[in-house]
Amino acid sequence: MKRLLLTVCASVLVAACGEETPTGVGQILLPGESIETFEVILEADQYLVWDSSFGNYSRPSEVDLGILANAWGGSVDARVIVRYTLPRNIRVRVAGGSEQPDSLPLWFEGDIQIPMDTLVSPSGELSLHRSTETWDRESATWTLRVDTGGVALPWAVPGGSPGELAGTVAWATATDTAVLPVDSATIVAWADTTLAAGGGVISAGLPGTRMRIGPPLLRARARSTLNPDTVVEVTLTPIHTFIFTPVLEPQSSDIRVGGVPAWRGVLRFREDLDSITVPCPGEPGCRVRLDQVGVNFAAIQLQPVPSPAGFDPELPLEVALHLMLPTPNVPLQRSPISNPIAGTAEIPGSTFLAPGAPIVELGVTEVMRQAFEALVEGGPAPVTSVALLQSDTRTTFGFGTFAERPRLRLILTITKEMQLP
C-alpha cells in the first residue's frame, strides 16, 4: 500500500518544512496525528472514459425457462412454443406375462403439466393452440419462425401462428403446477408423423399478466391394439422456447444487467487513474494523487432507474462484476471476461419499476487498488474495463436498468508526519 507523507509544520517554525520518512533523524511521529481516513466521491467524468450496455448475449432457447405475458407493463407479449414427439411404439404386457412392442397404439387423450413459479406468476388463465407452421427452436422469434442468418421465414401470424384452440385451464397460486388438458384430436394429430407442424403455442389469457414457467411436460395416454384393456401413459419433455415482442435495440447508453437475451453493462476506465488527484483532508489547497494513498474501500454507485415498460426483472437481480480481458481485433463488448470478482446483495425487481430507488453500491475495492497503482514495467497489466453481468446463479427474462455515468465512492487513508524543531 502506498502512503503520502504530508508534512505538517508547527506554527513556531520558520521557513519551509521538508518531507522525510517516519524514521528520519530529528522527527517525532505523533500517533494521534499520523493517520487520517477520509471519503471522496468521484464523478464519472473523473474516472471513466465511457460506459454503455450491450445485449444479445444469449437466446431464449439457451435457458430452461419460459415466459408467458399478455400486455405486461402495457407493452410485452410472450408465448411458449412446444413440440412433442410421441413414440411410434409402446410396450404392453400380454397373456402369459411377457412384454411385446405395440407399433399401432391408439393415442386418445393427454394433458400438459406446467411447472409454475408461484412467487412471480399471478393467478390467471392458460391456453393451448395447435401449431400451424414448423419452426426452428434455436432461432424462432415473435416475427420469424426461422432466422438462421441465411434463411428468414416469417410466421403467417406473428407470435407463433396459433391455430385451433386445444385446451384451457384456470390456474391459481395455491398449486405449483397447472394441468392443461389437451383434447383428443390434438393428441392424435401430434402422433401423426406425416403432419410436419406438430406442436402448440401456450399463452396467458388475461391482459396485464406475466408468468414464469418451467418445461411443460406432456402426459399422453394410448390404448394397446394387442391388449385393448391396457392403457399406457408416457411423459414427454418438449422441444420448446419462448418468443416475445417488442425486441429492443442491442445497445443502450444506460447500464443494463441481466435478462434474456442477456445485457452486459461495460465501464471503461481512464488509462491514467493513478494520476487523479483529490483534496487532502483538512489541508486547504492541498491535493494528493490516488497512487499515493491507501484504498480502504471502493464502490461503484449504481442508481436504479425504471427498466423499459414490461422488461423489469421478475426475480430479484444479482449483479456480478467481471474484469474484461481485451484482445486484439475483437470489439470490447465481445471480449472475454474473468470469473466474477465482486457482487451485490439481491436487488428486488420492484426497484426498477419507478424512479427514486435507493443507490446500489457495488464493492470494487481490490479492482480500484490495482487500477490506481502506477504502471510498472514487467508488472500486471492495468485494469482498463469491467463488465456488469447478472450472476450466473440466476436467470431472468427482465433486466435491471441503472443510470449512465455512475459515481465512484472511495474511503482513503493518508499518513501525516509532524516535524518538530
Side-chain angles (χ1 to χ4, degrees), residues 1 15 17 43 54 60 75 102 127 130 144 146 179 196 205 236 238 245 305 310 321 363:
M1 180 184 295
C17 298
E43 299 294 337
F54 302 92
S75 174
D102 184 346
S127 62
R130 288 195 211 173
L144 297 174
V146 179
V179 181
L236 303 173
T245 187
V305 296
L321 184 80

Side-chain angles (χ1 to χ4, degrees), residues 287-375:
R287 298 188 69 84
V288 58
R289 286 170 52 114
L290 288 179
D291 64 346
Q292 297 177 312
V293 299
V295 180
N296 295 340
F297 176 77
I300 295 172
Q301 294 189 324
L302 299 171
Q303 176 59 65
V305 296
S307 292
F311 287 96
D312 52 292
E314 70 276 12
L315 294 173
L317 182 71
E318 296 177 345
V319 181
L321 184 80
H322 302 249
L323 295 180
M324 302 195 75
L325 309 173
T327 57
N329 303 320
V330 176
L332 181 62
Q333 63 268 30
R334 294 296 174 186
S335 296
I337 59 174
S338 72
N339 291 327
I341 57 174
T344 71
E346 293 185 341
I347 308 170
S350 58
T351 301
F352 305 99
L353 289 174
I359 286 176
V360 174
E361 286 197 341
L362 181 64
V364 290
T365 304
E366 291 302 324
V367 174
M368 301 321 297
R369 281 177 179 165
Q370 181 182 347
F372 294 153
E373 290 280 348
L375 184 61

Side-chain angles (χ1 to χ4, degrees), residues 34-40 281 294 296-297 410-416:
S34 60
I35 302 255
E36 191 152 354
T37 299
F38 61 106
E39 181 181 88
V40 171
N296 295 340
F297 176 77
L410 302 171
I411 297 179
L412 309 173
T413 295
I414 62 174
T415 303
K416 288 186 175 182

Side-chain angles (χ1 to χ4, degrees), residues 152-357:
L153 303 177
W155 296 102
V157 177
S161 293
E164 184 178 349
L165 180 67
T168 61
V169 63
W171 175 76
T173 54
T175 61
D176 59 7
T177 302
V179 181
L180 178 59
V182 182
D183 64 32
S184 58
T186 298
I187 293 294
V188 171
W190 287 352
D192 187 347
T193 57
T194 65
L195 299 178
V201 181
I202 302 173
S203 57
L206 298 178
T209 298
R210 180 176 63 180
M211 299 178 178
R212 180 183 168 104
I213 70 173
L217 303 179
L218 173 65
R219 295 190 306 188
R221 288 171 282 279
R223 289 191 176 90
S224 169
T225 53
L226 300 180
N227 186 352
D229 294 332
T230 299
V231 173
V232 174
E233 180 179 281
V234 296
T235 299
L236 303 173
T237 300
I239 295 172
H240 70 105
T241 187
F242 69 91
I243 55 178
F244 65 93
T245 187
V247 175
L248 303 176
E249 291 296 321
Q251 185 171 357
S252 176
S253 60
D254 54 21
I255 297 173
R256 296 177 177 179
V257 180
V260 176
W263 285 91
R264 177 182 297 182
V266 176
L267 307 181
R268 185 173 181 181
F269 299 141
R270 286 175 43 178
E271 294 183 0
D272 58 345
L273 287 177
D274 59 305
S275 68
I276 296 174
T277 62
V278 297
C280 310
E283 295 291 330
C286 172
R287 298 188 69 84
V288 58
R289 286 170 52 114
L290 288 179
D291 64 346
Q292 297 177 312
V293 299
V295 180
N296 295 340
F297 176 77
I300 295 172
Q301 294 189 324
L302 299 171
Q303 176 59 65
V305 296
S307 292
F311 287 96
D312 52 292
E314 70 276 12
L315 294 173
L317 182 71
E318 296 177 345
V319 181
L321 184 80
H322 302 249
L323 295 180
M324 302 195 75
L325 309 173
T327 57
N329 303 320
V330 176
L332 181 62
Q333 63 268 30
R334 294 296 174 186
S335 296
I337 59 174
S338 72
N339 291 327
I341 57 174
T344 71
E346 293 185 341
I347 308 170
S350 58
T351 301
F352 305 99
L353 289 174

